[in-house]
Amino acid sequence: MKMNTLLALSLVCSLFAATPAMAEQAGGNNGGTGIVQYSDVDQKLTESAEKAIEQYGNGKAFQLEEAFKDSYFVDKKKKENWIIQSKDRSAVVSVDAVSGKVLTISLSFKMDEVTDEYASYLKAAQSAAEQFRKNAELVFTEAHFFQNNIADNKTESMTFGAKDNQFVQIDTKTNKPLNFRFTYKAADVERKIISVAEQAVKSMGIDKVQPFTNIEYEKYEGREEWKLARKIEVKGDFRKNGAVMIDENNRAFVVEAAATIEAKTGKLISINVKPTTDNQKRKSLTKEQGVAIAKPIAKKLWGVDLSSYEVKVNKDWGDYTFSRKGNASIVAKFDNFGNLVRMERK
């Protein structure tokens, strides 16, 4: 993709509180600074934005109200564009500042507004949900249209979101799923997948493996993965818990353990654990100490002997990268207390 700063705002993320899994580049990266009134924007640009909305709005009336200038790169050349949007960002259109060409279109819909041609995309999303979630009905609550007209990255999709960050993104050209995320109960997941995750947690030195509270099956950019995590809600002084995450209901939680498993092969991709550091002092490992800790764990997780691998250490991030020509790299991550908190096979 030959662009950098263009459209870092992701309406899909704001709609469905998603991860990288479904983030669409559909807005500006300036945090809303320099916003001007819609009436102050060049008429050539506003006409382009209005025509785009009329063409893809499926009859819905979107109110464009404000705009701000941004920049993007094509063939390493920096160009300017305008982000023209409604205040609630249900409609965001980016337009080249000189030519007036529409670069991207981002439109949000309620489910009763998904009619006519867009209803066929909904049917495809429902079919995909039925295929992957045979034991549970998935009810979509929001829909989102996105089109990218930038060279080498042209896409057009319709994304349908449900509760708990579940979604299906449909390619409007093929009517097939591009990306998706579904949540599962442990009882509905093959035991061998859970066993791989549990064994990975044990290999990281956790004696007693607690049940996973969140299990997701995700497809993103061609990769299909199982993601299993044990999340614990925290209250009070968050600082005592280290890294704290906020969910879609504004609840704070920590992730005690998380494993990612390749869906097709059932092989472990990565494992994260959160050690208890209450009574620990900060500790800086030597290269030799880090290697000595990581080697036996890599052997347990993947059967890989790291003795012949080249090691590069990033002290700032606590990363030890083991690499050897013709083999997948192994990354071991340590926290500020010298604990091994992550192992990943790239």
Side-chain angles (χ1 to χ4, degrees):
M1 183 172 62
K2 300 179 180 179
M3 54 181 287
N4 285 339
T5 60
L6 175 68
L7 315 176
L9 169 67
S10 170
L11 277 195
V12 178
C13 283
S14 64
L15 271 173
F16 309 132
T19 79
M22 61 186 294
E24 297 283 12
Q25 294 179 335
N29 66 345
N30 67 351
T33 59
I35 289 180
V36 301
Q37 295 298 312
Y38 180 68
S39 58
D40 293 332
V41 181
D42 188 303
Q43 186 176 355
K44 178 178 69 174
L45 307 184
T46 59
E47 287 180 353
S48 294
E50 289 171 1
K51 287 180 180 179
I53 289 179
E54 183 179 359
Q55 181 176 357
Y56 297 103
N58 202 40
K60 180 176 179 178
F62 292 94
Q63 185 66 44
L64 296 174
E65 300 165 284
E66 58 188 24
F68 58 88
K69 187 174 286 189
D70 200 4
S71 61
Y72 69 107
F73 287 81
V74 175
D75 295 329
K76 298 182 179 180
K77 295 181 179 179
K78 186 176 181 180
K79 295 188 176 184
E80 289 187 333
N81 65 292
W82 279 89
I83 309 299
I84 305 173
Q85 62 187 23
S86 57
K87 287 185 179 179
D88 64 0
R89 294 178 179 173
S90 60
V92 180
V93 183
S94 65
V95 183
D96 183 87
V98 177
S99 68
K101 176 184 176 181
V102 172
L103 302 173
T104 63
I105 309 161
S106 174
L107 303 173
S108 301
F109 299 89
K110 296 178 181 178
M111 293 310 299
D112 59 4
E113 297 168 336
V114 178
T115 59
D116 301 326
E117 183 181 4
Y118 288 2
S120 67
Y121 308 141
L122 173 59
K123 186 176 180 180
Q126 291 170 330
S127 178
E130 290 173 2
Q131 177 186 350
F132 289 100
R133 301 185 82 253
K134 297 178 181 179
N135 298 328
E137 182 182 2
L138 184 64
V139 178
F140 295 114
T141 58
E142 296 173 296
H144 180 88
F145 173 86
F146 180 78
Q147 183 186 81
N148 189 342
N149 296 313
I150 300 171
D152 295 342
N153 193 40
K154 292 186 176 182
T155 59
E156 185 178 296
S157 63
M158 197 82 183
T159 302
F160 300 91
K163 293 181 179 179
D164 301 325
N165 294 335
Q166 298 182 88
F167 74 90
V168 179
Q169 182 185 51
I170 298 297
D171 184 337
T172 62
K173 303 300 182 184
T174 65
N175 226 26
K176 295 181 179 180
L178 283 171
N179 302 302
F180 53 73
R181 183 192 297 120
F182 302 114
T183 61
Y184 285 77
K185 295 180 180 179
D188 297 325
V189 180
E190 289 185 62
R191 180 59 202 172
K192 65 179 181 180
I193 297 296
I194 297 178
S195 295
V196 169
E198 290 176 338
Q199 188 57 50
V201 175
K202 291 179 181 179
S203 296
M204 294 289 283
I206 307 299
D207 295 328
K208 187 176 181 180
V209 180
Q210 299 292 337
F212 294 103
T213 60
N214 297 73
I215 301 178
E216 298 176 341
Y217 184 62
E218 179 178 290
K219 178 182 179 182
Y220 182 63
E221 293 185 347
R223 301 188 304 271
E224 294 188 28
E225 300 170 344
W226 284 100
K227 296 188 175 183
L228 301 87
R230 177 171 173 77
K231 298 181 179 181
I232 304 299
E233 186 175 359
V234 295
K235 298 179 181 179
D237 188 354
F238 296 161
R239 292 172 295 181
K240 295 180 180 180
N241 298 280
V244 175
M245 303 180 71
I246 307 297
D247 67 10
E248 65 275 9
N249 297 314
N250 290 321
R251 295 176 301 186
F253 62 90
V254 294
V255 179
E256 289 190 340
T260 301
I261 298 169
E262 189 176 35
K264 292 183 179 180
T265 65
K267 294 182 179 180
L268 181 74
I269 296 174
S270 66
I271 177 67
N272 290 61
V273 296
K274 179 178 174 57
T276 301
T277 59
D278 292 348
N279 299 317
Q280 287 187 314
K281 294 182 179 180
R282 289 180 176 269
K283 180 180 179 181
S284 179
L285 298 176
T286 65
K287 180 178 180 180
E288 291 72 22
Q289 287 174 323
V291 171
I293 295 172
K295 282 179 64 176
I297 307 301
K299 188 70 174 179
K300 289 181 181 180
L301 294 173
W302 297 290
V304 175
D305 184 357
L306 298 178
S307 300
S308 59
Y309 281 61
E310 179 185 353
V311 185
K312 291 185 178 180
V313 181
N314 185 322
K315 285 290 186 180
D316 293 333
W317 293 97
D319 290 346
Y320 284 60
T321 301
F322 298 82
S323 57
R324 189 174 74 175
K325 187 176 181 180
N327 296 81
S329 297
I330 304 292
V331 179
K333 185 176 185 63
F334 294 86
D335 65 11
N336 293 328
F337 301 92
N339 299 307
L340 180 61
V341 295
R342 178 178 176 82
M343 290 287 285
E344 179 180 7
R345 188 177 187 182
K346 291 185 177 292

